[in-house]
Amino acid sequence: MIKSFALAALIAVLLGFLGFQYYITSVPDLAEPITVEESRFIEQDQSLLLTLRGREGRQFTVGLRGDIANDPEQTALFFISNPDLVPYVYWPGLRSNDEKRVLELLEDMVEKQKQEEAVRQIYEVLKNRN
């Protein structure tokens, strides 16, 4: 009986960790209007970063690392989904579902309103990969 409770507790803890991992690595549904809070280019790492904020205040940081101008196919997408909770940088795989979700988010921003050049740059790199 004790072994059954221990096994059930272990399974519950593992499921909790799985849910938490999904929460910190998923692309959030930001409420419209989505604004660009900050955009910057870091020369040292060849990184382009965007910090987006939804209507309810949720932040989402997305970026590309690599030579965007000369070798966009080799740039790596990364994002921080919940910087206030856990500042975990997630590097989704090339042409993965997470990359497609980021592309859809940026596509909605590009279509609905005039955005900064950084939004368009990241959008164009991701769009040309698919």
Side-chain angles (χ1 to χ4, degrees), residues 41-85:
F41 181 76
I42 301 173
E43 185 104 18
Q44 177 184 3
D45 297 333
Q46 294 280 318
S47 297
L48 177 62
L49 288 114
L50 288 171
T51 301
L52 308 174
R53 183 175 293 276
R55 181 177 26 143
E56 69 272 340
R58 187 161 182 198
Q59 280 188 324
F60 179 63
T61 302
V62 63
L64 291 174
R65 183 174 185 182
D67 192 357
I68 297 167
N70 298 323
D71 198 9
E73 188 69 26
Q74 296 301 316
T75 58
L77 174 71
F78 62 92
F79 61 82
I80 303 171
S81 185
N82 295 289
D84 296 332
L85 179 64

Side-chain angles (χ1 to χ4, degrees), residues 8-65:
L10 179 62
I11 290 172
V13 167
L14 290 175
L15 287 175
F17 281 133
L18 251 165
F20 181 71
Q21 187 266 343
Y22 176 77
Y23 180 71
I24 65 172
T25 61
S26 64
V27 177
D29 291 327
L30 299 176
E32 299 284 336
I34 302 170
T35 58
V36 177
E37 189 169 273
E38 180 183 11
S39 68
R40 62 184 171 199
F41 181 76
I42 301 173
E43 185 104 18
Q44 177 184 3
D45 297 333
Q46 294 280 318
S47 297
L48 177 62
L49 288 114
L50 288 171
T51 301
L52 308 174
R53 183 175 293 276
R55 181 177 26 143
E56 69 272 340
R58 187 161 182 198
Q59 280 188 324
F60 179 63
T61 302
V62 63
L64 291 174
R65 183 174 185 182

Side-chain angles (χ1 to χ4, degrees), residues 63-120:
L64 291 174
R65 183 174 185 182
D67 192 357
I68 297 167
N70 298 323
D71 198 9
E73 188 69 26
Q74 296 301 316
T75 58
L77 174 71
F78 62 92
F79 61 82
I80 303 171
S81 185
N82 295 289
D84 296 332
L85 179 64
V86 178
Y88 176 74
V89 179
Y90 180 60
W91 301 82
L94 187 66
R95 295 181 185 94
S96 67
N97 287 334
D98 290 325
E99 185 174 292
K100 290 174 186 172
R101 287 185 193 106
V102 171
L103 176 63
E104 290 170 2
L105 175 69
L106 296 177
E107 185 175 45
D108 289 342
M109 290 180 68
V110 167
E111 289 176 355
K112 292 182 181 177
Q113 51 193 331
K114 186 175 180 173
Q115 289 297 328
E116 293 184 23
E117 183 61 27
V119 174
R120 187 164 294 283

